[in-house]
Amino acid sequence: MARRGAALELAVLGLLADSPMHGYELRKHVNGLLGWTRLLSYGTLYPCLKQLTRGGFIAADTETSPRGKRPRIVYRLTAEGKEYFTSLLEDGGPSAWDDENFGVRFALFARTSSPTRVRILEGRRSRLEERLDNVRTAAAHRRERMDAYTRELQRHGLESVEREINWLTELIDRERADAFTEQEETSTTDKEK
């Protein structure tokens, strides 16, 4: 899933797993899932839908409209699409925590297993810590050549990454605590039987 457009594919499959949708509705929901900084055009959405249809992961059904309006195409997930979507959700490798895919992956965390969520969160945190270290090192070498605005922009960027790292650490700790509590409850229930 490391190729460009994987986030869109995952978003489309995730939304269609909830219910069938026509193109306009799907675009609106995908835009909500991708966030306000990445608006999706139809020129990007429809090639993705065609590719997923050719792959047998979604089906396109024609829905008749009242009063002579043009029929709409409604997209739905196929059985193969459900299996493919499930396999994508459990992929916790490096592409899952990169900038392109992380937001969509996180939006679909409720459907992802706890160990996979932890793997993705830890991978994202590790990547950001590495990036933060590289930026700090580079900034230390160039600091005297920067004007006040460039330094301020860099400070803002560093603080944003630090906030995300702290947020990820909280999520990882919470996820592990929930998994431990669940494991304890299962163990207690098994002993009572």
Side-chain angles (χ1 to χ4, degrees):
M1 197 168 91
R3 70 191 186 294
R4 189 149 174 70
L8 174 58
E9 183 178 283
L10 185 62
V12 166
L13 293 170
L15 290 167
L16 292 179
D18 291 336
S19 68
M21 293 184 201
H22 56 83
Y24 173 78
E25 184 180 21
L26 195 53
R27 179 178 176 259
K28 185 172 79 173
H29 288 292
V30 168
N31 278 334
L33 196 61
L34 294 177
W36 63 271
T37 58
R38 293 174 51 198
L39 293 178
L40 176 69
S41 70
Y42 290 111
T44 304
L45 175 62
Y46 283 107
C48 176
L49 292 172
K50 286 181 182 178
Q51 181 181 350
L52 289 169
T53 302
R54 277 193 305 267
F57 303 123
I58 64 173
D61 303 320
T62 303
E63 183 182 83
T64 56
S65 298
R67 287 192 266 149
K69 287 186 176 182
R70 197 174 96 203
R72 292 193 295 192
I73 297 174
V74 176
Y75 299 93
R76 64 177 169 76
L77 211 54
T78 63
E80 294 83 9
K82 288 176 187 173
E83 287 179 28
Y84 181 56
F85 176 58
T86 301
S87 73
L88 291 177
L89 285 179
E90 291 308 313
D91 174 17
S95 66
W97 58 70
D98 68 16
D99 293 341
E100 177 79 15
N101 295 316
F102 179 73
V104 172
R105 292 302 303 259
F106 189 79
L108 298 171
F109 260 19
R111 302 172 192 196
T112 307
S113 70
S114 180
T116 302
R117 288 192 299 261
V118 169
R119 215 170 29 252
I120 292 169
L121 292 170
E122 287 176 337
R124 177 72 178 169
R125 180 177 63 182
S126 175
R127 178 155 298 157
L128 290 176
E129 287 170 339
E130 182 180 313
R131 189 180 298 168
L132 186 63
D133 187 47
N134 290 339
V135 170
R136 282 183 177 148
T137 302
H141 292 105
R142 291 181 275 147
R143 188 150 186 84
E144 64 278 347
R145 291 180 283 167
M146 286 187 221
D147 63 44
Y149 296 105
T150 303
R151 279 194 304 273
E152 200 54 35
L153 181 62
Q154 193 165 54
R155 184 180 68 79
H156 171 70
L158 289 170
E159 288 175 359
S160 296
V161 173
E162 288 169 345
R163 271 193 309 276
E164 186 172 350
I165 289 170
N166 291 333
W167 173 70
L168 290 165
T169 299
E170 290 173 14
L171 290 171
I172 291 165
D173 292 345
R174 193 175 324 139
E175 190 70 40
R176 286 185 176 146
D178 290 348
F180 179 76
T181 302
E182 187 176 301
Q183 194 175 37
E184 287 291 309
E185 289 172 358
T186 303
S187 177
T188 304
T189 303
D190 288 345
K191 286 179 185 176
E192 290 173 357
K193 289 181 181 179

